Amino acid sequence: MVSKDRISKILDSYDPKKITLATACSHTSLQIFHGAKEAGFKTLGIAVQQKTKIYDAFPAAKPDEFLFADSYSELLDHTDELISRNVIVIPHGSFVEYMTPRIFEGWGIPTFGNRMVLEWESDREKERNWITSAGVRMPEIIEDAQKIDRPVLVKYHGAKGGRGFFIAKDYPEFKMGIDHTKKFHIQEYVVGTRYYVHFFYSPIRTEGYRLSKGVLEVLSADRRDESNIDEMYKLGSAEELKRLGFFPSFVVTGNLPIVMRESLLPKFFEIGEKIVERSFKLFGGIIGPFCVESIVTDNLDIVVFEVSARIVAGTNPFINGSPYSDYIEPGLSTGKRIAQEIKLAVKKGLMNEVIS
Ligand code: ATP
């Protein structure tokens, strides 16, 4: 892990008027570049084995310049060059995954957010410890497969976008589906509606939904479109399909905007607040955008199955604002909010609070 001290020294050497916001050219890059440009920053697209013509199609979201590399690890060789260009990196899901959390956390480039979160988020047990010790409900874990007494979801560790996850309703079904060569855990299958709520925590803003320090915002919410489970019911009953060799999968293919019933909002704010406050005690705080991935039951209880600690692709439908962010500022996207936060930090001389 690169030390805070080292990043702090690099930030001291930066010319505040020449800061460049950079991110990898995928995932939420259009939104990040668009937001950064609107806030007046220079922008740099990091293209790893990619063609960049697609950005010509979207001029308002095209970065000013590109850095081309053959691999994510090659980016380490560009560290000095990036520092000389006053670069602050904006992490997103694909960027961290492709670079790997281990390399990312050691990369000596100023990065938006608290990179300590990587350690707590990429280890499922640590993440569970963080969320449950904050007093937030998660799906129950079933330690012994022979004791499966309700529908469960078997999750393989390191599965990308739920690939290979399967549902079992009893032990024989578990035995039929399990691949013992992979690490897995079994959790209760929570029945309800899935809401992915996009929060933004600012330690430096003072107006809004206040926490012990800073403010918490909800910018938008989505539901993921998952193939094939979301459409599978059209083919017949799950039992029938299993007999024919069709099994549900959870591969994300898109995102749909969600507006939740208003009475759920205070509950979600309470959950977000607990997660942020606990993160301060455990690792110095989750800074900037994060997503609470949850299922709302028919008792209106909220069960959180994951927290993503950075901008998620589910924010992409909201580049012109959402029914939540519009009450903060019309047309506010998460990408724009990130740029605003950096701008405010530069202005107040508080870059160390939001960049690590
Ligand atoms: P990603 O990293 O892309 O978020 P992942 O591999 O970490 O994916 P999860 O997000 O944990 O996987 O789960 C994938 C999908 O499985 C969810 O979007 C949701 O549809 C479903 N899911 C996860 N946990 C549960 C649960 N306990 N009960 C019911 N459905 C669940």
Side-chain angles (χ1 to χ4, degrees), residues 97 121 124 127-128 138-140 151-153 155-163 165 167 185 187-192 194 196 223-226 229-230 249-252 293-295 303-308 312:
E97 189 184 309
E121 184 208 25
R124 280 189 194 271
E127 186 188 62
R128 173 167 280 269
M138 290 192 82
E140 247 176 71
V152 295
L153 189 60
K155 294 184 167 189
Y156 292 108
H157 296 198
K160 310 227 178 319
R163 200 170 275 278
F165 287 9
I167 298 168
H185 73 274
Q187 57 177 239
E188 98 182 90
Y189 188 94
V190 183
V191 182
R194 290 170 296 120
Y196 302 71
R223 167 176 306 146
R224 292 182 185 164
D225 232 358
E226 293 177 331
I229 189 159
D230 288 343
S249 55
F250 300 83
V251 178
V252 182
E293 307 181 6
S294 70
I295 297 166
V303 187
V304 174
F305 58 88
E306 185 159 323
V307 170
S308 287
V312 290

Side-chain angles (χ1 to χ4, degrees), residues 247-267:
F247 296 91
S249 55
F250 300 83
V251 178
V252 182
T253 55
N255 304 87
L256 304 166
I258 285 285
V259 179
M260 59 192 114
R261 58 190 281 174
E262 208 164 296
S263 59
L264 284 174
L265 262 178
K267 291 188 185 184

Side-chain angles (χ1 to χ4, degrees), residues 30-31 34 38 315-322 331-334 336:
L30 292 168
Q31 191 194 144
H34 177 243
E38 288 220 324
T315 59
N316 280 338
F318 308 104
I319 60 136
N320 279 323
S322 84
L332 182 64
S333 69
T334 297
K336 191 166 170 188

Side-chain angles (χ1 to χ4, degrees), residues 228-297:
N228 55 22
I229 189 159
D230 288 343
E231 298 290 331
M232 212 168 179
Y233 67 93
K234 291 178 182 165
L235 280 177
S237 77
E239 299 312 318
E240 205 181 323
L241 289 170
K242 256 186 194 171
R243 274 201 306 277
L244 295 169
F246 288 105
F247 296 91
S249 55
F250 300 83
V251 178
V252 182
T253 55
N255 304 87
L256 304 166
I258 285 285
V259 179
M260 59 192 114
R261 58 190 281 174
E262 208 164 296
S263 59
L264 284 174
L265 262 178
K267 291 188 185 184
F268 270 107
F269 265 99
E270 223 174 275
I271 286 173
E273 175 166 1
K274 285 177 175 169
I275 288 172
V276 173
E277 296 289 5
R278 186 72 188 136
S279 72
F280 264 105
K281 297 216 168 70
L282 292 175
F283 56 87
I286 180 171
I287 310 292
F290 66 98
C291 177
V292 168
E293 307 181 6
S294 70
I295 297 166
V296 183
T297 70

